[in-house]
Structures are given as C-alpha cells and as structure tokens.
Amino acid sequence: MNDWVDIGAVTDIPRRGARCVNTPAGKIGVFRTMEDKIFAIEDHCPHKGGPLSQGIVHDASVTCPLHNWVISLETGEAQGADSGRVATVPVKIEDGRILMAVDALKVAAE
C-alpha cells in the first residue's frame, strides 16, 4: 500500500509540458499530456542522461531534448530502434491535485 505526497495542482503543469520534482532518490519528471493524463518518470534519458522534463511531450511519450530519443511515459521504455528504459513512478489525481507514491520515490534511483 502506497503513501502519497501532494506535489501540486494538475494546472501547475501546462498541457504537453512537464515539471521536475527533486526527491531524495533523484529528479522525477512529471508530465501532462494534451488529454490531461499525468505521468511521472525519472528525469534522465537512458541514452546520455538528458533532462526529459525539458523534452517535447507528444501523445503519451516525451522526446529527449539532447538526441531525440523517444521515451514512453507509460512504461519508461525507449521506443523505436533505441533501447533502454527509465523508472516510472505511480501518480494519481485527486480533486485536481497530483499525488505521487512515496515508496516509489525511495526506489526510483535503484
């Protein structure tokens, strides 16, 4: 069972945008799609460590700003010919607020 921490309002993140949350386990990118779905993944590309929260959000993916790797926001997997993955972090929305799983924050960097 997860404990949850409030990290802000859904509207704090623009559609097709992201914010970075600093945690004891490292930086987590929190993304909002055009359809208002919220995803959270480690904020570093598995290729060269680029800041995914500064990438371009499209559908349920983000394109790394450094070398254009496309990462699934749902699975953390690199798409296409690229291989690699980042950890995903459970999030949920309650009353317009984004809640992140505390347990996942501790192990995201492992």
Side-chain angles (χ1 to χ4, degrees), residues 30-96:
V30 182
F31 301 82
R32 181 181 176 191
T33 68
M34 192 64 181
E35 298 78 25
D36 292 330
K37 292 183 179 177
I38 300 293
F39 297 97
I41 61 175
E42 289 178 297
D43 190 35
H44 65 273
C45 182
H47 175 228
K48 297 278 186 177
L52 295 174
S53 62
Q54 295 177 26
I56 297 170
V57 177
H58 46 96
D59 299 320
S61 301
V62 61
T63 298
C64 179
L66 295 186
H67 299 103
N68 296 323
W69 275 40
V70 177
I71 308 297
S72 167
L73 295 173
E74 295 172 313
T75 66
E77 295 284 337
Q79 301 173 345
D82 303 319
S83 65
R85 71 176 316 274
V86 295
T88 59
V89 178
V91 290
K92 65 181 180 177
I93 300 171
E94 287 184 0
D95 299 321

